[in-house]
């Protein structure tokens, strides 16, 4: 896969090619032309248009407040099926380059994961850059994971069956939290990673092959990174989990990657690093897909396959042998 095709555009699925053409024709401004506040609003309104409508039904959808270390309360949302027994739970961290994204942009995905995984999902509105730079988002995620472990029973959750997951930047946060959980002796059933950012540099072959014109441009990645983190911290493993000294003993991983994504090589390297360290890894590469596809199910039906695959991984991880 690292020998990316001489004409990368020929790898796109017909639906992905059509979507890219539609967005191009609509003259959408690149995110880096907007302020972070504008970009957030744009994503909150425009993102859900590409996703399933109406949103899939879940029995229980409720707001939560999650207290974190500095006294801030992170808004969150719990999704859960009807159940007499305590439910296993996935803490979900949305994508958006640490700068954009919200409970709204990932509402459909969290509903799908709850339905397909037969589990509760807690979606966290962690604090965003540039108002809150590295490592605030990570601290919020880690504190929420620990809060869920401690307080989950009062929400009808089985905290002995706890997983973490996210897409893109949320996948980065999830991978890092899984490393921290190993060090803290906090058992996790699964780390569920959709096209996670795993490296702190945009210098892999896929960054060049798919760096422009595939929904996530490298120029946008740079815009995100510059809002979130200082250049001097870019190689910190808490930002670039591939750089961790040791990947052994972390939670089993399900990793879903998009073939035509600047982040695909980093994701494959992360899967390799985990496997080399003896961690069970289930790796799926969705052919012809682009970064962000799992929250574009109306435009890109392959998202439904990824939802089902991820749901199956959750169900299997939560089912005691």
């Amino acid at each position: 896969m690292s020998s990316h095709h001489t004409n990368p555009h020929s790898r796109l699925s017909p639906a992905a090619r059509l979507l890219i053409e539609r967005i191009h024709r609509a003259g959408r401004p690149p995110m880096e032309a907007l302020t972070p506040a504008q970009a957030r609003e744009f994503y909150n309104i425009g993102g859900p248009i590409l996703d399933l409508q109406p949103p899939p039904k879940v029995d229980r959808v409720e707001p939560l407040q999650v207290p974190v270390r500095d006294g801030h309360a992170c808004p969150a949302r719990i999704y859960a099926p009807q159940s007499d027994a305590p439910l296993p739970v996935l803490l979900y961290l949305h994508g958006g380059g640490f700068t954009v994204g919200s409970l709204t942009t990932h509402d459909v995905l969290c509903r799908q994961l709850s339905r397909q995984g037969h589990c509760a999902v807690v979606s966290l509105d962690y604090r965003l850059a540039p108002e809150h730079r590295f490592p605030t988002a990570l601290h919020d995620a880690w504190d929420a994971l620990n809060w869920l472990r401690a307080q989950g029973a009062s929400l009808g959750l089985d905290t002995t069956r706890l997983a973490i997951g996210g897409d893109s930047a949320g996948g980065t946060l999830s991978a890092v939290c899984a490393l921290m959980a190993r060090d803290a002796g906090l058992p996790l059933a699964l780390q569920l990673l959709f096209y996670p950012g795993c490296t702190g540099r945009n210098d892999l072959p896929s960054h060049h092959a798919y760096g422009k014109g595939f929904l996530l441009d490298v120029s946008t990645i740079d815009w995100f990174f510059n809002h979130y983190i200082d250049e001097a911290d870019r190689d910190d493993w808490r930002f670039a989990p591939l750089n961790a000294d040791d990947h052994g003993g972390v939670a089993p991983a399900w990793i879903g990657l998009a073939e035509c994504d600047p982040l695909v090589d980093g994701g494959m390297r992360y899967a390799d690093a985990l496997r080399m360290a003896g961690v069970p890894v289930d790796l799926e590469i969705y052919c012809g897909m682009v970064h962000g596809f799992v929250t574009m199910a109306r435009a890109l039906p392959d998202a439904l396959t990824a939802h089902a695959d991820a749901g199956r991984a959750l169900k299997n991880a939560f089912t005691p042998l």
Side-chain angles (χ1 to χ4, degrees):
M1 283 301 270
S2 269
S3 57
H4 295 287
H5 212 265
T6 44
N7 173 13
H9 278 94
S10 67
R11 304 295 304 158
L12 287 167
S13 79
R17 187 174 293 126
L18 192 66
L19 176 62
I20 288 170
E21 283 169 10
R22 260 174 53 201
I23 289 171
H24 185 68
R25 275 205 309 274
R28 195 183 80 174
M31 211 168 264
E32 58 270 30
L34 306 174
T35 66
Q38 288 170 329
R40 283 176 205 145
E41 193 180 352
F42 206 88
Y43 188 19
N44 272 342
I45 295 166
I49 290 171
L50 300 176
D51 220 330
L52 297 180
Q53 293 170 350
K57 191 173 169 355
V58 174
D59 295 317
R60 178 181 164 205
V61 181
E62 293 166 7
L64 290 178
Q65 296 279 316
V66 179
V68 295
R69 67 187 68 181
D70 62 2
H72 176 74
C74 285
R77 192 180 290 162
I78 184 167
Y79 301 83
Q82 185 53 45
S83 174
D84 297 326
L87 286 161
V89 58
L90 167 73
L91 175 63
Y92 196 82
L93 306 167
H94 69 76
F98 310 99
T99 309
V100 302
S102 66
L103 302 180
T104 302
T105 56
H106 287 63
D107 176 66
V108 167
L109 177 59
C110 289
R111 288 168 181 269
Q112 287 285 81
L113 293 173
S114 173
R115 285 165 62 106
Q116 309 260 357
H118 298 199
C119 63
V121 175
V122 171
S123 181
L124 182 71
D125 211 350
Y126 57 87
R127 284 173 285 180
L128 298 172
E131 295 85 347
H132 303 280
R133 289 172 65 85
F134 174 82
T136 306
L138 177 61
H139 288 168
D140 287 353
W142 175 245
D143 292 354
L145 186 64
N146 283 279
W147 178 84
L148 212 46
R149 172 105 178 137
Q151 303 299 326
S154 67
L155 297 167
L157 306 176
D158 174 0
T159 57
T160 65
R161 294 184 292 160
L162 180 59
I164 196 162
D167 58 294
S168 198
T172 306
L173 295 170
S174 300
V176 174
C177 281
L179 288 158
M180 294 167 69
R182 170 202 64 191
D183 295 343
L186 193 165
L188 292 176
L190 187 70
Q191 49 180 320
L192 184 84
L193 312 176
F194 294 106
Y195 33 77
C198 299
T199 65
R201 311 274 162 195
N202 300 322
D203 55 5
L204 297 176
S206 59
H207 287 111
H208 301 296
Y210 303 117
K212 190 161 174 51
F214 293 87
L215 285 200
L216 176 65
D217 289 354
V218 165
S219 56
T220 309
I221 300 175
D222 281 327
W223 185 80
F224 287 144
F225 283 9
N226 291 333
H227 283 309
Y228 179 60
I229 196 163
D230 295 344
E231 178 64 32
D233 290 327
R234 273 204 186 194
D235 296 314
D236 190 311
W237 65 271
R238 296 171 304 157
F239 175 65
L242 190 59
N243 294 347
D245 289 336
D246 173 20
H247 294 95
V250 298
W254 181 90
I255 303 176
L257 305 178
E259 180 190 8
C260 303
D261 179 352
L263 303 191
V264 66
D265 285 354
M268 289 200 300
R269 289 188 187 194
Y270 201 66
D272 287 344
L274 295 180
R275 281 182 178 144
M276 294 288 287
V279 177
V281 175
D282 189 357
L283 173 65
E284 297 283 346
I285 297 172
Y286 296 91
C287 292
M289 281 298 101
V290 287
H291 193 83
F293 82 98
V294 297
T295 47
M296 302 175 179
R298 199 159 72 112
L300 300 173
D302 295 57
L304 300 174
T305 309
H307 299 167
D309 292 342
R312 198 177 315 111
L314 284 165
K315 222 164 29 185
N316 292 343
F318 287 143
T319 307
L321 294 172

